[in-house]
Amino acid sequence: MKDKKNIIIIIAVIFALILVIILARVFVFTPSPVIKLATIPEGEHDPAVWGKYYPLQYKSYLKNKEMAPTPTGFGGSVNYQKSTKEPEILMNFQGMPFGKDYSEDRGHPYSLQDLKETKRIGPESPGSCMTCKTANMIDIYKDMGDGYSRVPLMQLFGRIKHPITCANCHDPASMNLRVVVPAFIEAMQKKGIDVKKASREKMRSYVCGQCHSEYYFAPPDKKVVFPWDKGLKAKETYAYYTEKPAGFEQDWLHPVSGVKMLKAQHPDFELWSTGVHAQSAVSCADCHMPYMRKDGRKYSSHWVTSPMKHVESSCLTCHKQSEKWIMERVKTIQNNVWEMQRTAGTTIARAHEVIGKAAKVSGVNKTELEKARELVRKAQWFWDFIAAENSMGFHSPAEALNTLGLSVDFAHQAIAAANRAAKTHY
Ligand code: HEC
Ligand code: HEC
Ligand code: HEC
Ligand code: HEC
């Protein structure tokens, strides 16, 4: 009888101990879940403040400060002058700022510093230049509306404190993705798309497309406009620039060939949109901001860099081939595009020279000369559309090669027309 009582006591003690251990685990040892309620006010652009609530995203955002080459050897964030690898740039952009300073881009936290330091800006630069470089653009636009584009950039610098930060892509209250660049919103509106109602999946590309797109400063106010009315391809944007009444005549006059030239600006969104990934609904964020895990928690990497640095999280989620195979595929695509890009670029440089010589011949056939000028303008647009794009053709390999192939042909036609104009063979 006494033994039975003892056994009951022992069992009770064991149960009590187990209970204490369970309760202790729940209340003492479990790390407190991060349910700090975010109270980030609109207008707070310091990423460190946002980072207090979203430490994993913030920590990966800070990695954007690392500067490193990419595993493919293309792109990357090591600052160098592109003309050291492509000397034809010096001829093709002669007489305009990119002929003086055309360096590789780098991570988002540097956008403001690079804007302030580039030799491409001066007292004449319009406020429009800051559109894609800073979160402070949001407040400036709120105060001034489209008028900010006319204000000299130097006068706005006092109000620009932060580079590209969380607010460029997120609504601080809901953390939903948002687009803030007016030109993107307007260009999409013209296509019948209301970005405020866009699906989350679409927003995973739109947040990037608001900046990683071709644009121009529309006269007379230098308002930022995306030339998308006729479509997003090189030939469609060229048609937009060339056909009246919309049109846009020139970014600058080429001093050698006397051609009214256009400069392309990073049409990443445009090239991607023609590729097999866009058609398969693979967004910019799928590759550039893949999901990562830390202590069992899933989050989007905010280290926006070459996806080839983390092929497993960026590509192997869909592709079942080996990492090595994927890497080789990307390199093959890029090497093919690079070769055609150099061919087009050097042929265009020759066309500028030949046209320049032809123009000086007395009795030159003016009609043929103008034909040659129009052809080199077009050739350079097609070349630049791919050269200024950031993926060395990867975002849409077939479209990239087709665009460069046409460019080479236009450049040769330009040389032939200039030779006909001068009745000689340069
Ligand atoms: C299917 C995956 C994929 C998608 C989708 C994708 N990219 Fe890329 N992106 C790449 C690869 C691969 C490269 C080449 C990286 C390299 O050379 O190391 C690249 C390169 C870039 C670069 C240059 C990176 C550097 O280091 O200089 C930028 C900028 C970029 N992409 C922006 C975008 C934008 C904007 C979108 C959406 C409109 C997008 N990408 C969609 C895979 C992708
Ligand atoms: C507010 C405008 C803006 C937004 C939004 C934006 N970018 Fe960028 N991005 C830039 C600018 C400007 C640079 C170049 C910064 C520099 O070189 O100082 C850049 C650089 C990059 C680079 C090159 C980084 C490197 O290390 O070389 C990649 C990759 C990139 N962006 C991808 C993306 C992707 C993907 C998205 C969307 C998730 C995105 N960007 C959204 C403006 C933007
Ligand atoms: C260039 C655009 C861009 C910038 C800048 C940016 N984010 Fe994001 N963020 C995204 C995208 C894209 C997602 C994925 C959203 C989705 O799929 O719904 C995301 C997701 C998130 C999420 C949701 C959870 C997750 O990880 O998917 C949080 C929280 C977040 N970001 C915080 C931040 C913070 C904090 C900053 C600034 C330090 C920041 N973001 C800067 C584009 C951006
Ligand atoms: C969300 C899914 C998804 C992700 C992520 C993804 N891909 Fe793809 N990829 C596809 C689909 C779908 C196709 C179309 C062909 C097919 O079905 O395989 C494709 C096609 C390709 C092709 C064929 C080339 C072309 O453009 O015609 C290459 C190369 C490629 N992907 C490389 C990559 C690389 C490199 C990454 C990572 C940076 C990547 N993919 C990430 C889904 C994805």
Side-chain angles (χ1 to χ4, degrees):
M1 190 65 197
K2 207 172 174 208
D3 280 356
K4 216 173 176 186
K5 213 175 173 184
N6 277 349
I7 288 169
I8 289 172
I9 289 170
I10 289 166
I11 291 173
V13 168
I14 290 171
F15 267 108
L17 271 175
I18 291 172
L19 196 67
V20 167
I21 290 168
I22 290 173
L23 288 179
R25 278 190 68 93
V26 171
F27 289 109
V28 183
F29 299 121
T30 310
S32 63
V34 195
I35 0 178
K36 282 183 224 161
L37 272 186
T39 46
I40 304 166
E42 182 67 63
E44 175 57 71
H45 299 318
D46 184 351
V49 173
W50 293 57
K52 280 190 217 147
Y53 301 102
Y54 309 108
L56 290 174
Q57 288 80 6
Y58 178 56
K59 220 173 143 217
S60 61
Y61 168 87
L62 290 179
K63 267 177 91 82
N64 289 310
K65 293 190 178 175
E66 279 175 20
M67 289 191 282
T70 68
T72 64
F74 291 108
S77 19
V78 179
N79 209 337
Y80 74 96
Q81 286 295 329
K82 290 192 188 224
S83 54
T84 54
K85 289 188 190 165
E86 293 168 275
E88 56 273 22
I89 280 178
L90 298 176
M91 171 55 96
N92 297 351
F93 296 126
Q94 212 175 108
M96 66 96 71
F98 278 95
K100 283 186 256 163
D101 183 5
Y102 198 169
S103 53
E104 182 55 46
D105 63 4
R106 48 183 185 158
H108 290 158
Y110 292 107
S111 56
L112 184 54
Q113 187 189 342
D114 288 348
L115 174 68
K116 287 186 171 165
E117 287 174 4
T118 176
K119 296 193 195 83
R120 292 198 301 265
I121 64 158
E124 304 285 301
S125 302
S128 2
C129 294
M130 62 96 190
T131 308
C132 281
K133 315 287 186 196
T134 166
N136 295 106
M137 171 265 166
I138 300 164
D139 335 312
I140 294 174
Y141 184 69
K142 208 176 264 167
D143 287 357
M144 301 186 180
D146 284 332
Y148 82 89
S149 58
R150 280 188 305 264
V151 181
L153 178 65
M154 302 293 188
Q155 275 180 35
L156 294 178
F157 272 150
R159 297 194 57 182
I160 303 177
K161 303 273 185 273
H162 293 283
I164 298 162
T165 65
C166 323
N168 284 93
C169 301
H170 290 286
D171 176 289
S174 64
M175 283 312 277
N176 287 339
L177 292 178
R178 70 170 175 193
V179 165
V180 293
V181 172
F184 182 84
I185 299 168
E186 282 162 23
M188 295 303 265
Q189 232 160 29
K190 281 202 208 160
K191 293 159 74 67
I193 299 168
D194 180 354
V195 295
K196 294 216 162 63
K197 296 195 183 124
S199 66
R200 174 181 156 237
E201 182 195 300
K202 290 246 160 51
M203 288 303 282
R204 287 168 57 86
S205 295
Y206 289 176
V207 288
C208 318
Q210 62 178 326
C211 299
H212 286 263
S213 295
E214 158 65 11
Y215 66 86
Y216 70 109
F217 293 161
D221 293 339
K222 302 201 179 273
K223 184 176 155 173
V224 181
V225 177
F226 290 11
W228 289 357
D229 291 7
K230 293 176 191 291
L232 270 59
K233 296 183 175 182
K235 51 169 84 94
E236 293 161 339
T237 43
Y238 190 73
Y240 171 93
Y241 281 137
T242 304
E243 284 169 29
K244 307 287 176 222
F248 178 58
E249 227 176 347
Q250 67 175 69
D251 281 309
W252 89 105
L253 185 72
H254 201 287
V256 175
S257 56
V259 181
K260 291 172 177 167
M261 302 297 296
L262 298 166
K263 175 77 194 79
Q265 329 279 345
H266 42 72
D268 304 331
F269 183 80
E270 289 89 337
L271 190 65
W272 161 82
S273 73
T274 65
V276 68
H277 285 109
Q279 258 111 62
S280 316
V282 186
S283 69
C284 315
D286 285 334
C287 293
H288 288 279
M289 300 183 65
Y291 290 116
M292 300 283 171
R293 272 187 187 280
K294 170 102 179 144
D295 304 331
R297 289 175 62 207
K298 190 170 141 190
Y299 69 101
S300 304
S301 166
H302 280 61
W303 182 30
V304 186
T305 182
S306 163
M308 304 319 284
K309 292 179 186 166
H310 35 62
V311 172
E312 199 184 333
S313 352
S314 285
C315 320
L316 302 190
T317 42
C318 296
H319 290 281
K320 296 305 161 216
Q321 299 93 338
S322 69
E323 176 164 347
K324 187 163 168 276
W325 189 91
I326 291 277
M327 185 67 79
E328 284 312 310
R329 268 313 301 154
V330 173
K331 283 186 183 167
T332 305
I333 289 168
Q334 291 180 322
N335 286 332
N336 288 343
V337 172
W338 170 251
E339 198 180 341
M340 285 304 289
Q341 181 173 307
R342 293 296 315 276
T343 307
T346 49
T347 314
I348 290 162
R350 200 152 66 78
H352 282 299
E353 265 172 63
V354 172
I355 292 170
K357 283 183 191 157
K360 289 194 189 119
V361 171
S362 64
V364 62
N365 181 328
K366 289 268 189 309
T367 319
E368 288 291 350
L369 186 68
E370 282 318 305
K371 256 191 222 164
R373 285 185 166 141
E374 167 55 23
L375 280 159
V376 78
R377 181 176 190 264
K378 191 168 176 180
Q380 183 149 336
W381 176 254
F382 279 53
W383 164 73
D384 201 13
F385 199 85
I386 303 305
E389 206 273 341
N390 280 300
S391 69
M392 195 48 71
F394 171 79
H395 290 145
S396 187
E399 181 67 18
L401 290 171
N402 178 262
T403 305
L404 290 171
L406 290 169
S407 170
V408 176
D409 181 44
F410 297 144
H412 280 301
Q413 285 189 49
I415 293 168
N419 280 334
R420 277 198 307 275
K423 298 191 186 60
T424 180
H425 195 86
Y426 287 118

